[in-house]
Each structure stands twice: as C-alpha cells, then as structure tokens.
Amino acid sequence: MTRPTGDDLVEVLAALANPLRLRIVATLAGGRDYVSHLAREIGISRPLLHMHLQRLEAAGLVVGSLELSEDGKAMKYYEVADFDLRLTASTLAEAARTLTDPEKGPGRKERSR
Amino acid sequence: MTRPTGDDLVEVLAALANPLRLRIVATLAGGRDYVSHLAREIGISRPLLHMHLQRLEAAGLVVGSLELSEDGKAMKYYEVADFDLRLTASTLAEAARTLTDPEKGPGRKERSR
DNA sequence: TTCATGTGTAAGAACTTTCTGACATGTGAA
DNA sequence: TTCACATGTCAGAAAGTTCTTACACATGAA
C-alpha cells in the first residue's frame, strides 16, 4: 500500500478521516478481533461498526476473515492490513495525476468492488 | 506538520479526501496562484474553489495571503504549506490516543478556528 | 423451547458536504 | 459611466455520511 492511484488515495484518506474509524484501526493495531467484541470494546452498536469496517476494508486498510469458533459459531475476525502512506505536496501531486476525470471518465462510481 | 493530534489528523485527512481538493493542492504544488486564476485553471466556479481553499487552509495545508497587484487590485494568493505525514497502523494508533472523547469532551465542534 | 451468543442487512432520520447562482464590494482603464 | 477584472458571502438544492432501530439467520447450552 504505497503510491496508490489518485482515486485509491482519496478512498483511503476518506476512510481514515473519521474519529471512529481511526479508533477502530488503532484498536485493531493492538491485535485482531471479531465484530461483536470490538463493538463492545469501542462502545458502539454492532451495525454501526459493521458499516465502518466495510468502509475500511473497501479501502484496503483492514482485512476480515470469517472463521468458525470451537463451539461452532461463525466469527468474523478483522485485522489491520499493511500500509505505509506518505503525504507531502509532491506525493499528492503525483497521485493527483491519476485522478479520473469527472468528464468522460467512468461514471460517478467505479465499477467492481 | 508531523505527529498531529488525533483531531488535527482527522481534519487534515478529511481535507485531502476529495478529488477536487487533491487537485488544488497538486496545482498549487506547481507554484502559488490567486483564486480567480486558479479557478479557471482547474475549471470550477470561484465560490466553489473559495470553499475548498477555506477547508484546506483550516487544515493547515495551504496558506493564503492577500496582496495588492501593481494595478491596485486585491489578489488572494495561495501556496502549499510544508507538511509531511506518514500513515501507518502505528502512527494512526498513536494519533488516535489524542482523539477527544465524544462524551464529556468539548461539544461536537471545537471552538476557535 | 428459550436464552445468549454470533452473523448480516434494510429503512429512515439527522446531519454534513458539495455545488450553483445570485448578490455585494473594490480597483483601473476605456 | 461602463467594462473587465479582482475579492467575499449567502441561500438553497442535491447528494453523501453517519447512526439507530428493527429484522433476518445460525449455533450451543440450559
């Protein structure tokens, strides 16, 4: 996760530009965890956490994996992905060169996810 | 602009998490410019650019200065500020420690700007 | 069966962000 | 005076984000 395209960078920054999601990443940096437990840990509702994790995963900042616990329950574990982004005027300028043009470019929301 | 507080970091990331603002920073990285000209350069309306520049300036990413041109017109020049942010799981975790608590902390929107 | 645990998703309210189209100010030059 | 250029700001529409509440499913244990 270095030198992403302009659009990828926007997605990553948008994902991190939120206190709750920052806290989620920070908490996961201390070790992987499953959704329900993490929700209690942080003190937010499970659906809300679910939404934020989706956004973080879509940006490639966390990775989730569905696993079966010993007592047969389906547990979704999340952990932080490897990333190392550097933000300076130059790195931003370079990323900006690969931003999709609002004209003629692929419509409003990129296909596939 | 290194190791900002959690809230500052969120503000900076939010400011950069937008294609137009990324383009603005990228353009200014190529040299200072005044608002009207920059608006034509990028191809957006002046009020819109004004709004985005406000957001970037509030985040400390660009700096504006009102100057008088030789023919007496008031020109507002903007240039990129010096910043160098590194985003990794650890730097984020550290920044997250200084996030203001939604409980008891200062209400919804920090005073002063 | 009922309870406690885990998963996911959908609808709607509340709020924020983004953008356009006025409007108002000022200058110097024609 | 009128034009071309610069500045700023406001109101409202449109779209996006954030959050709650409620529903659905599954498992193992009491």
Side-chain angles (χ1 to χ4, degrees):
Chain A
M1 208 9 146
T2 344
R3 308 179 70 119
T5 73
D7 297 297
D8 283 351
L9 180 60
V10 168
E11 186 173 19
V12 168
L13 295 177
L16 293 175
N18 177 288
L20 220 40
R21 285 196 293 268
L22 209 51
R23 212 166 247 138
I24 291 168
V25 172
T27 306
L28 288 179
R32 68 207 295 271
D33 201 355
Y34 63 96
V35 183
S36 288
H37 184 255
L38 185 54
R40 287 189 296 264
E41 194 81 359
I42 299 184
I44 62 175
S45 73
R46 195 176 50 81
L48 181 55
L49 175 59
H50 183 268
M51 190 227 89
H52 284 304
L53 284 171
Q54 293 279 299
R55 215 134 166 352
L56 286 169
E57 185 164 37
L61 293 165
V62 304
V63 182
S65 63
L66 193 61
E67 301 176 14
L68 284 187
S69 69
E70 303 203 356
D71 61 343
K73 287 199 179 61
M75 319 279 279
K76 183 113 185 205
Y77 276 89
Y78 277 94
E79 61 196 300
V80 290
D82 251 37
F83 59 92
D84 191 341
L85 266 285
R86 187 151 171 245
L87 304 182
T88 62
S90 346
T91 66
L92 294 180
E94 202 198 321
R97 297 200 293 119
T98 61
L99 279 171
T100 60
D101 198 324
E103 320 292 335
K104 70 188 171 182
R108 218 73 205 92
K109 198 80 179 185
E110 192 71 57
R111 281 293 139 259
S112 96
R113 170 128 312 157
Chain B
M1 207 14 145
T2 344
R3 308 178 71 120
T5 74
D7 297 297
D8 283 350
L9 181 59
V10 168
E11 187 173 19
V12 168
L13 295 176
L16 292 175
N18 176 288
L20 220 40
R21 284 196 291 268
L22 209 52
R23 213 166 248 141
I24 291 168
V25 171
T27 306
L28 288 179
R32 67 206 297 271
D33 201 355
Y34 63 96
V35 182
S36 288
H37 185 254
L38 184 54
R40 287 189 296 264
E41 194 81 358
I42 298 182
I44 62 176
S45 74
R46 196 174 49 79
L48 183 55
L49 176 59
H50 184 267
M51 190 227 88
H52 284 304
L53 284 171
Q54 293 278 299
R55 215 133 168 348
L56 287 170
E57 186 165 36
L61 293 165
V62 304
V63 182
S65 62
L66 193 60
E67 302 178 13
L68 284 189
S69 69
E70 303 202 357
D71 61 342
K73 287 199 179 63
M75 320 278 279
K76 182 114 185 205
Y77 275 88
Y78 277 93
E79 60 196 303
V80 290
D82 251 36
F83 59 92
D84 190 342
L85 266 285
R86 188 153 171 244
L87 302 182
T88 63
S90 346
T91 66
L92 294 181
E94 202 200 321
R97 298 200 293 118
T98 62
L99 278 171
T100 61
D101 198 325
E103 321 290 335
K104 69 187 171 182
R108 215 73 205 92
K109 199 78 179 185
E110 191 71 58
R111 280 293 139 258
S112 92
R113 171 131 309 158

